[in-house]
Amino acid sequence: MGLLSKKDSKLILDPLADNNPITIQVLGICSALAITAELKASIVMSISVLFVLGLGNVVISLMRNIIPSKIRIIVQLVVVATLVIIVDLVLKAFSYELSKTLSVFVGLIITNCIIMGRFEAFALGNGPWRSFLDGVGNAAGYGIILVMVGFFRELLGSGTLLGFKVLGDPIEKTGLYALGYENNGFMLLSPMALIVVGIIIWVQRTKNKALVEDH
Amino acid sequence: MEKKTDKNSYTIIFAIGMVLLVGALLAFAAESLKPRINENKRLEKQQNILYAMGINENDGSSATFISTDKAPEAFSKYITKQLVIENGKVTENDQAYLIDVKKEQANAKAGKIRRLPLFIGEKDGETYYIAPIRGKGLWDAIWGYVALDANMVVQGAYFDHKGETPGLGANIKERFFMDDFIGEHLLDASGNFKGITVAKGNADPKNDDKTDNEIDAIAGATITGDGVTAMIKSDLKLYKSYFETLKN
């Protein structure tokens, strides 16, 4: 890649698959369960995390030499909470509709362990540009899994995608439903998100044996 | 060897400095954006009330308000009267839509008088009586506006929530759920207040029967649905005496 050195592009590409925050590092599982019942929420959450993690990593990286190590976790929490609150306030003032869609996610972003994880593991030891790339990469890797889980849960659970009835109408019995197909209500419940994530992990490790740990 | 940033004195100074800086930043942001945010909230109330009486830009399956720039004009055009019912006494008040239902509910709990706002709308020769309701969902507050006719038959409903689960409880603000209430009766056959139950295992999923005081629940959103049932029951019941006066 011309724009980024090989080392830098690795920061973006690694978390997408071989070092994915959800399937390999097993971070951010909580939000993957909570908001993936529909595709739209998954997409919105992914974009929000992308924004906060990219920016937060840069801020922490800039502060890395002056943060006292004893209270670094608290400092990280304060930074992410401040960022999220400011974004929320600005949206409420200038894009009220969007802020209402996002309101549920604000609290979830602050508690997302991927964010704290990347601050702690990367931004504290690297420069702002590399930290930014790392943040974007990890958020994208998180987003890919979220969108995959959201896609299957919404399709199989509600028979819709982004609210569109792609499989026909379950009450009017059109499309697939005319053939006796039924939505699987289980898919809408959180435990099924865990099972979908489990299946993704299984598929990924079957395809790439290097990811399987030895015991 | 101890680094400069490991010293206790440095840590304490850093913490104090950070708290002051962040506190000032957030206070400044909140204060400077407050007027805009409050204005947005005021417009949203107007949009919600208009939505309940059927003035909206619904297109397809998602609920769409009348746009914010048209809302104030439409509000003064369609909402002909705003009433406040206080202990059975009805007064007109053109700021009634700004009454905070949450505060009034707290007043009622503390044994004080609860002011009940009611908005009267006129559209195409029909009269709508729109009342705000508020209650608890699974995670946080849920609220809404219900438009009724003189016989307490629902003509339109709008629900919203603060933090219900996306894809499940959050769907109470989707059209498929809100539109189900239209035509549903709040009173039973003998005229007693019965409310509307968000019912699981409803024998009538298409909602053809409008007098069964039931609508079909959302799968996976039992507690949010129960919250909707409860707030309709507790809050709309308070208006029944007003509707009785309409009959005379």
Side-chain angles (χ1 to χ4, degrees):
Chain A
M1 280 169 87
L3 190 64
L4 299 168
S5 70
K6 211 173 173 190
K7 229 168 112 195
D8 284 352
S9 61
K10 217 169 127 63
L11 287 176
I12 294 239
L13 296 176
D14 253 13
L16 295 186
D18 288 352
N19 195 17
N20 189 285
I22 294 186
T23 62
I24 308 296
Q25 303 173 32
V26 200
L27 293 172
I29 290 284
C30 359
S31 53
L33 304 190
I35 51 108
T36 50
E38 57 182 17
L39 187 54
K40 187 179 142 206
S42 308
I43 295 172
V44 171
M45 183 67 173
S46 305
I47 296 171
S48 314
V49 167
L50 187 77
F51 181 78
V52 173
L53 189 51
L55 203 61
N57 253 2
V58 172
V59 174
I60 290 288
S61 171
L62 288 172
M63 290 168 67
R64 71 186 185 282
N65 292 326
I66 58 163
I67 295 176
S69 58
K70 282 177 196 151
I71 55 166
R72 64 183 192 285
I73 302 275
I74 299 172
V75 174
Q76 290 161 14
L77 260 179
V78 170
V79 167
V80 63
T82 311
L83 277 178
V84 169
I85 292 169
I86 288 180
V87 170
D88 187 46
L89 281 172
V90 170
L91 284 177
K92 264 191 189 144
F94 296 100
S95 177
Y96 196 64
E97 277 302 303
L98 186 63
S99 87
K100 279 201 297 181
T101 326
L102 285 174
S103 65
V104 198
F105 304 109
V106 171
L108 284 170
I109 292 173
I110 300 178
T111 56
N112 192 324
C113 24
I114 292 179
I115 294 184
M116 297 293 287
R118 293 329 291 170
F119 284 2
E120 181 74 9
F122 199 89
L124 275 178
N126 289 282
W129 172 239
R130 283 171 56 79
S131 298
F132 175 74
L133 294 177
D134 177 77
V136 170
N138 274 283
Y142 166 79
I144 285 179
I145 302 295
L146 231 62
V147 168
M148 275 160 79
V149 177
F151 176 86
F152 286 113
R153 284 183 74 191
E154 186 175 348
L155 183 68
L156 300 176
S158 319
T160 57
L161 281 179
L162 293 172
F164 292 106
K165 293 184 172 134
V166 287
L167 298 181
D169 193 315
I171 293 175
E172 302 292 334
K173 298 275 177 224
T174 57
L176 259 186
Y177 298 100
L179 306 170
Y181 174 81
E182 293 265 356
N183 286 328
N184 184 351
F186 257 149
M187 292 303 288
L188 293 175
L189 306 177
S190 311
M192 284 310 287
L194 198 59
I195 292 176
V196 174
V197 172
I199 293 172
I200 294 173
I201 293 177
W202 177 31
V203 170
Q204 194 185 6
R205 290 185 190 213
T206 312
K207 283 178 72 180
N208 186 351
K209 294 281 186 216
L211 297 173
V212 183
E213 297 101 359
D214 291 322
H215 286 289
Chain B
M1 201 202 85
E2 209 179 29
K3 277 192 296 182
K4 186 192 79 168
T5 53
D6 283 343
K7 278 195 188 144
N8 279 344
S9 53
Y10 178 82
T11 305
I12 291 168
I13 291 169
F14 185 92
I16 293 172
M18 182 181 68
V19 168
L20 288 178
L21 185 76
V22 168
L25 188 70
L26 287 181
F28 174 74
E31 271 310 308
S32 52
L33 295 172
K34 208 173 178 184
R36 284 195 75 108
I37 293 174
N38 286 343
E39 174 68 7
N40 282 337
K41 285 193 175 151
R42 192 179 69 81
L43 289 173
E44 186 197 7
K45 277 192 171 180
Q46 296 191 338
Q47 287 173 316
N48 288 352
I49 293 167
L50 289 169
Y51 184 95
M53 67 174 283
I55 297 167
N56 48 50
E57 289 171 11
N58 276 349
D59 178 24
S61 64
S62 61
T64 317
F65 294 134
I66 186 165
S67 66
T68 37
D69 46 320
K70 284 190 213 142
E73 195 191 327
F75 192 77
S76 48
K77 179 177 160 201
Y78 290 107
I79 302 295
T80 50
K81 253 192 226 169
Q82 296 189 51
L83 305 177
V84 178
I85 306 169
E86 228 170 321
N87 230 355
K89 217 175 78 214
V90 183
T91 44
E92 252 188 79
N93 180 345
D94 64 356
Q95 297 294 310
Y97 75 103
L98 295 175
I99 287 178
D100 185 346
V101 180
K102 188 181 169 187
K103 270 189 201 146
E104 298 302 325
Q105 284 177 339
N107 279 349
K109 231 183 208 168
K112 287 186 228 158
I113 294 168
R114 176 173 170 182
R115 292 184 297 165
L116 297 169
L118 183 70
F119 320 108
I120 300 182
E122 304 267 353
K123 191 185 74 169
D124 306 331
E126 303 276 339
T127 308
Y128 298 85
Y129 302 87
I130 304 145
I133 54 178
R134 189 179 172 94
K136 278 202 295 275
L138 171 60
W139 304 115
D140 214 319
I142 53 175
W143 60 91
Y145 293 86
V146 181
L148 304 168
D149 71 1
N151 296 316
M152 292 193 94
V153 176
V154 177
Q155 303 298 309
Y158 176 76
F159 299 113
D160 206 343
H161 63 92
K162 193 166 173 200
E164 297 309 294
T165 320
L168 303 175
N171 282 350
I172 58 167
K173 62 182 294 187
E174 294 295 323
R175 268 192 81 183
F176 73 85
F177 184 73
M178 299 192 294
D179 288 0
D180 243 10
F181 284 82
I182 297 173
E184 201 69 43
H185 291 242
L186 279 172
L187 306 177
D188 66 10
S190 46
N192 297 317
F193 186 88
K194 204 170 165 203
I196 296 171
T197 304
V198 178
K200 272 202 286 190
N202 192 338
D204 175 30
K206 280 192 197 170
N207 202 14
D208 295 322
D209 184 357
K210 300 290 186 191
T211 54
D212 62 355
N213 301 82
E214 274 187 1
I215 70 127
D216 198 25
I218 303 169
T222 309
I223 296 176
T224 312
D226 289 349
V228 173
T229 307
M231 72 176 174
I232 287 175
K233 217 159 255 171
S234 62
D235 279 7
L236 290 181
K237 194 177 186 177
L238 304 171
Y239 289 90
K240 185 164 185 279
S241 53
Y242 173 80
F243 281 90
E244 274 160 7
T245 65
L246 293 175
K247 296 208 176 100
N248 308 321

